[in-house]
Amino acid sequence: MAPSFANLADDPDFDSDEEIDFSDLRAQHEVRMEQGLDTFVVVDGLPVVPEESKGKLVKFLLKKLTAAGQTREDTVFMPVNDSTGKTEGFAFVEYENSEQAIQAIKLLHGTPLDKRHTIAVNKITDVERYGREGRIDENYHAPEIEQFTEKEHLRWWLGEPGSRDQIVMHRGDNVGVFWNRRKEALENVVDRLGWTERFVAWSPLGTFLATTHRRGVQLWGGPSWGRLLRFPHPLCDLIDFSPGENYICTWSFKPIEVEEDDPILTLDEEGKNYIIWSVVTGKPLRSFSTHDLPGPSVDENGQPVKKRIPWPAFKWSSDDKYVARMLEGQSISVYELPKMNLLDRSTIKIEGIRDFEWAPAAPQREAVKTYEQLLSYWAPEMGANPARVSLMSIPSKENSHVLIRSKVVRTRNLFNVTDARLHWQSNASYLCVKVDRHSKSKKPLNTNLEIFRVREKGVPVEVVDSIKDFCINFAWEPKGDRFVIITTPELISTSAVPPKTSVSFFCPEKIKGSGVGNFKLIRTIDKKSSNGIYWSPKGRHVLVGTIASAQGSDLDFWDLDFEGEKPEDSKDLTANLQLVASSDHYGVTEVDWDSTGRYVITSGSILRQQIEHGYHIYDFSGQLMRDEHVEKLKQMLWRPRPPTLLSKDQQKQVRKNLREYSKDFEEEDRIADDKEKWEIVEHRRRLLSEWLAFRSQETEELKAERVDMGLPEELEEVVPPGEDGEPAKVVEEIVEEIVDETEEIIS
């Protein structure tokens, strides 16, 4: 007989009125809505169509939905109104997993379905949660329109009458912004205690000043230096702006912990290290975790190995349309901004990849009339395959439905490569690959330079193989075609004293026509200790010095277009090299040129050393303008300037007439050098201005009084009669006086 409740024996110890605790079972088996429905999204903003057209609409919608993940026609539920026989304008869509649902929200939310409909994609759990909490009012209320208030001009400093530049100085716990006044003391604009907790940074165009704090990053600007934006990335360690200031990347070593009611961060950022933010909206676009770095995690003694995080990990294209990230040894992921969609919907597989760089400007390759961005990368030798450097083209996606858009346009195979570095010229006219080579027995040999001429047909490669030592530093002339290298006979010194270095200058040789000749050595300066190369942003002038070194602190200022007599051995070269000045700044750790190329700051920072904190300001010719000791100096940075609005023709006209303009500038400099005289001139100008204003006011009042009295506005000139009764004559007499006379004999 089968057991049943009817024939169970009575249990004297059982109390039917006793409440049984099922909380442990409920907690174990209860299905939470967020866990059961996190694969569903709600798609709103769809066209309202008759029921017979519903199938066509679903198929059309699937073309969009499948871009984010796997879904089918039978997993798309589109309700139909029974009274009207038409769809309701929204649909429920189920994906295979929650990751695909989240990707659909990021990829499709706010995208146009056609010319008249823009879809909104949200989690179904969000809709239910907000509705359950009563956050959505069923009745429509017209939004309150705030009264318009004019905002401050964020580039106000560009209108400074003297065209002076600003400097931010971080010393101790204070951060201040100052005007540069040549030889005079810096003029304070704003100075605040505790403005930052770690460091400060200018945005690339100088619009924002970024400060870092435990709770995130803040951007400041405008004449009042108010807070403009806040990016709440807790314990942020590093930041990097895009070239156009439209985006910012933040990174923290510690994974992000999102608080329960955080108004900006969501669970998508939980446990991540990187966040890509929109500077326009102040909201995160996408977050990422730090890649596991290659190599052993412990050394031979079992101690953990410290690995250096590559920075910037995300690199921007020159026009802010793409951002890319490398997984070392495997691939590059290119994302389209601002949607942060993966280009071609997949990563670009590159076996063994070590490094990559975007071209810093539009490349403008010959015979290429359409938009493109160039990306360069290199990979070492693997087995029988040689090392290689490649240029990859990333064309525009506009008016293109082809899925694969990136392609390699040039590859250069290299052999016996120890290491390589990619150096783009600022106009993307050249790419120099600095290649350190070794022998077959892996013994280090020397450095070669492989220079890609990007704008010439077929992208030819010129090899500079005359270097006998190892190149430890390389720098292109901004907007030019000359470069400087520093070499040393030993990469790793076996002695306590580092080996001497040599500084070499290169430029193209002259050729007929408009082309650029082969690169030739101008001169090599031996027996130096130099390790840093700092070009003026305008080119021509370069500072070569010994920076952050115990071996010296010498600074050499070079002019590559010296207006003196050209040596005989440089007649066929496009440069006239001359050392214009030498100086010494003991304890120098940082060098920074201003955007105009007029001045350069050398500073000693407490972040790098414990003594000799202060700065020097030099002009482009190496003349010391100011020397000041600053206690606990941490940072000193020039404020960048945006690109000029003048056309190329207008810039040529300015250069052509520069001698005429320079007369006014020299007069201003002469007055500025004499502070007392400058104050007298300003006082006289103020008195003259007040007198002219007073005279104008009195003249207007006099005219008004004459009109009221019926008299003409202007006074008629009355000439008194002469002694003979005839009208007197007014005679003008010009007297010429010779003040000085010199005699010059012209042969």
Side-chain angles (χ1 to χ4, degrees):
M1 179 176 170
S4 67
F5 286 99
N7 55 20
L8 287 177
D10 293 335
D11 187 352
D13 298 328
F14 176 73
D15 184 2
S16 59
D17 296 331
E18 182 180 354
E19 184 178 355
I20 301 177
D21 183 12
F22 293 102
S23 59
D24 55 338
L25 296 177
R26 184 178 296 106
Q28 182 179 356
H29 299 287
E30 183 180 25
V31 178
R32 294 185 178 89
M33 178 175 295
E34 288 77 3
Q35 296 177 349
L37 300 177
D38 56 2
T39 60
F40 286 86
V41 296
V42 181
V43 182
D44 204 355
L46 299 175
V48 176
V49 299
E51 187 173 5
E52 54 269 19
S53 301
K54 170 184 169 183
K56 293 182 180 180
L57 179 58
V58 170
K59 291 180 180 179
F60 179 74
L61 182 61
L62 279 172
K63 294 179 180 179
K64 291 271 188 181
L65 299 174
T66 52
Q70 297 296 323
T71 186
R72 305 180 307 276
E73 187 174 350
D74 58 344
T75 59
V76 178
F77 176 67
M78 191 175 295
V80 178
N81 190 302
D82 294 334
S83 60
T84 63
K86 295 183 178 180
T87 58
E88 296 281 8
F90 62 89
F92 301 95
V93 181
E94 182 182 8
Y95 281 96
E96 288 188 343
N97 52 55
S98 59
E99 288 77 12
Q100 293 181 5
I102 294 173
Q103 180 65 11
I105 296 170
K106 293 183 177 180
L107 186 66
L108 302 176
H109 183 70
T111 59
L113 187 66
D114 54 29
K115 292 183 178 180
R116 295 191 301 173
H117 298 86
T118 299
I119 59 176
V121 184
N122 294 281
K123 293 181 180 179
I124 193 172
T125 52
D126 288 346
V127 176
E128 179 65 22
R129 182 169 67 252
Y130 295 146
R132 184 175 65 245
E133 294 175 0
R135 298 184 182 180
I136 301 177
D137 195 339
E138 297 294 336
N139 300 319
Y140 171 76
H141 298 282
E144 294 183 4
I145 301 177
E146 297 182 3
Q147 186 176 1
F148 171 77
T149 54
E150 185 175 358
K151 295 184 178 180
E152 294 181 338
H153 200 303
L154 297 183
R155 291 184 175 176
W156 60 277
W157 87 97
L158 296 176
E160 204 274 333
S163 299
R164 296 182 297 173
D165 283 290
Q166 289 187 344
I167 306 169
V168 62
M169 185 190 300
H170 182 197
R171 72 272 190 223
D173 295 329
N174 285 72
V175 176
V177 179
F178 301 84
W179 288 112
N180 177 38
R181 295 205 301 174
R182 299 180 74 243
K183 295 183 179 181
E184 299 298 324
L186 301 178
E187 179 184 335
N188 182 255
V189 179
V190 61
D191 203 348
R192 295 175 181 173
L193 177 65
W195 202 352
T196 185
E197 296 180 14
R198 304 196 64 178
F199 62 89
V200 296
W202 292 110
S203 59
L205 304 181
T207 307
F208 307 106
L209 177 66
T211 60
T212 52
H213 310 267
R214 289 183 56 84
R215 299 185 64 83
V217 179
Q218 298 183 23
L219 300 188
W220 309 79
S224 64
W225 293 98
R227 188 176 70 184
L228 305 175
L229 286 166
R230 177 175 173 268
F231 305 105
H233 186 150
L235 303 176
C236 176
D237 294 303
L238 295 171
I239 64 174
D240 183 49
F241 281 93
S242 67
E245 301 183 342
N246 295 306
Y247 310 99
I248 185 174
C249 175
T250 57
W251 174 80
S252 61
F253 176 78
K254 184 179 180 181
I256 298 172
E257 297 179 2
V258 181
E259 297 180 0
E260 183 176 353
D261 295 327
D262 195 301
I264 303 296
L265 302 181
T266 66
L267 292 179
D268 296 339
E269 282 72 51
E270 180 74 27
K272 305 295 179 60
N273 304 89
Y274 298 91
I275 301 181
I276 306 293
W277 304 83
S278 168
V279 175
V280 177
T281 64
K283 295 182 179 179
L285 301 178
R286 192 165 177 178
S287 55
F288 301 85
S289 298
T290 301
H291 286 321
D292 292 332
L293 298 178
S297 57
V298 295
D299 58 15
E300 298 175 352
N301 301 323
Q303 298 296 323
V305 175
K306 292 184 178 180
K307 298 180 181 180
R308 188 173 182 177
I309 299 292
W311 186 260
F314 288 84
K315 299 180 180 180
W316 317 92
S317 64
S318 62
D319 58 357
D320 282 15
K321 287 189 175 181
Y322 301 100
V323 63
R325 183 190 192 189
M326 177 187 70
L327 178 57
E328 187 172 345
Q330 299 183 32
S331 62
I332 296 178
S333 299
V334 181
Y335 300 90
E336 298 170 299
L337 292 166
K339 294 295 184 182
M340 289 301 294
N341 303 333
L342 194 62
L343 183 68
D344 300 343
R345 303 181 190 172
S346 64
T347 59
I348 303 172
K349 303 295 183 182
I350 304 173
E351 186 179 8
I353 182 172
R354 284 283 184 86
D355 194 14
F356 79 99
E357 294 289 344
W358 287 99
Q364 300 177 1
R365 290 190 298 135
E366 185 174 331
V368 178
K369 305 300 182 182
T370 57
Y371 167 90
E372 71 168 352
Q373 290 288 322
L374 281 184
L375 183 148
S376 61
Y377 65 87
W378 86 278
E381 300 172 78
M382 301 190 68
N385 297 324
R388 67 190 189 278
V389 178
S390 298
L391 292 180
M392 178 178 291
S393 173
I394 310 290
S396 173
K397 68 172 185 176
E398 295 179 4
N399 302 323
S400 173
H401 300 286
V402 180
L403 190 60
I404 300 177
R405 295 185 291 273
S406 58
K407 64 177 181 178
V408 174
V409 297
R410 184 71 165 90
T411 296
R412 174 80 170 176
N413 291 332
L414 305 172
F415 299 90
N416 301 327
V417 177
T418 303
D419 193 15
R421 291 289 184 269
L422 306 171
H423 299 275
W424 278 99
Q425 186 257 4
S426 61
N427 291 340
S429 299
Y430 308 98
L431 168 67
C432 178
V433 184
K434 184 179 74 68
V435 183
D436 296 332
R437 298 187 181 276
H438 58 75
S439 64
K440 292 183 179 180
S441 61
K442 304 299 182 181
K443 179 181 178 180
L445 292 177
N446 62 344
T447 297
N448 285 356
L449 303 179
E450 309 269 343
I451 300 177
F452 290 68
R453 294 173 172 262
V454 177
R455 296 188 179 182
E456 297 182 17
K457 185 177 181 180
V459 191
V461 179
E462 179 183 346
V463 181
V464 179
D465 55 4
S466 59
I467 305 171
K468 304 303 180 184
D469 295 329
F470 296 98
C471 179
I472 60 173
N473 204 338
F474 175 100
W476 281 106
E477 176 187 22
K479 303 178 182 178
D481 47 21
R482 299 172 292 199
F483 60 86
V484 182
I485 64 172
I486 298 177
T487 59
T488 181
E490 300 177 48
L491 277 178
I492 302 177
S493 177
T494 57
S495 62
V497 179
K500 290 294 184 179
T501 60
S502 299
V503 182
S504 299
F505 300 83
F506 288 80
C507 75
E509 60 182 352
K510 293 180 180 179
I511 61 172
K512 295 181 179 180
S514 58
V516 179
N518 293 331
F519 292 95
K520 299 295 183 181
L521 176 67
I522 307 173
R523 191 187 310 169
T524 297
I525 313 299
D526 295 318
K527 297 181 180 180
K528 301 289 291 183
S529 59
S530 305
N531 57 10
I533 306 170
Y534 304 91
W535 281 96
S536 162
K538 300 300 182 182
R540 177 174 174 175
H541 298 95
V542 60
L543 187 157
V544 181
T546 307
I547 311 300
S549 172
Q551 306 307 313
S553 54
D554 55 291
L555 305 171
D556 294 334
F557 293 82
W558 295 87
D559 184 356
L560 275 76
D561 288 326
F562 184 67
E563 297 179 355
E565 185 177 354
K566 203 171 188 179
E568 191 64 30
D569 57 356
S570 300
K571 297 291 185 182
D572 296 331
L573 301 179
T574 58
N576 186 17
L577 181 65
Q578 179 66 40
L579 176 65
V580 294
S582 292
S583 185
D584 187 273
H585 181 178
Y586 180 70
V588 59
T589 60
E590 310 292 339
V591 177
D592 189 32
W593 282 88
D594 79 325
S595 298
T596 66
R598 294 179 294 180
Y599 304 104
V600 58
I601 286 179
T602 61
S603 58
S605 171
I606 193 176
L607 301 177
R608 303 284 295 274
Q609 61 188 17
Q610 296 301 315
I611 59 173
E612 297 298 329
H613 308 143
Y615 68 90
H616 292 182
I617 297 182
Y618 299 89
D619 68 2
F620 62 88
S621 62
Q623 180 183 357
L624 180 62
M625 310 299 291
R626 182 164 176 76
D627 174 5
E628 183 179 357
H629 173 78
V630 180
E631 193 69 27
K632 296 183 180 180
L633 177 64
K634 296 179 180 178
Q635 291 177 276
M636 198 162 182
L637 304 170
W638 290 101
R639 186 172 194 172
R641 286 175 174 261
T644 178
L645 299 178
L646 298 179
S647 65
K648 291 184 178 180
D649 292 337
Q650 290 173 323
Q651 294 180 50
K652 289 181 180 179
Q653 192 67 22
V654 170
R655 295 190 189 98
K656 182 179 179 180
N657 300 322
L658 189 58
R659 291 187 182 275
E660 295 296 325
Y661 302 142
S662 63
K663 295 178 182 179
D664 297 332
F665 300 149
E666 290 171 359
E667 177 64 18
E668 292 178 4
D669 291 343
R670 187 180 64 82
I671 295 175
D673 288 340
D674 190 343
K675 184 178 180 181
E676 182 178 351
K677 189 174 181 179
W678 178 79
E679 292 177 351
I680 293 174
V681 170
E682 284 298 306
H683 178 66
R684 289 176 178 175
R685 286 177 178 173
R686 185 168 59 255
L687 292 178
L688 178 60
S689 177
E690 292 175 358
W691 158 250
L692 293 176
F694 169 75
R695 186 175 183 275
S696 176
Q697 180 180 354
E698 291 297 319
T699 302
E700 293 299 325
E701 292 179 358
L702 180 59
K703 288 181 179 180
E705 290 180 4
R706 293 181 63 85
V707 170
D708 293 341
M709 298 172 63
L711 300 175
E713 291 187 7
E714 302 293 338
L715 291 173
E716 296 181 358
E717 185 177 0
V718 179
V719 180
E723 296 179 358
D724 54 357
E726 297 292 330
K729 296 182 179 180
V730 179
V731 179
E732 293 185 2
E733 182 179 359
I734 299 176
V735 179
E736 182 177 352
E737 180 181 357
I738 298 176
V739 178
D740 191 14
E741 184 176 358
T742 59
E743 182 178 351
E744 182 178 358
I745 300 176
I746 301 175
S747 58

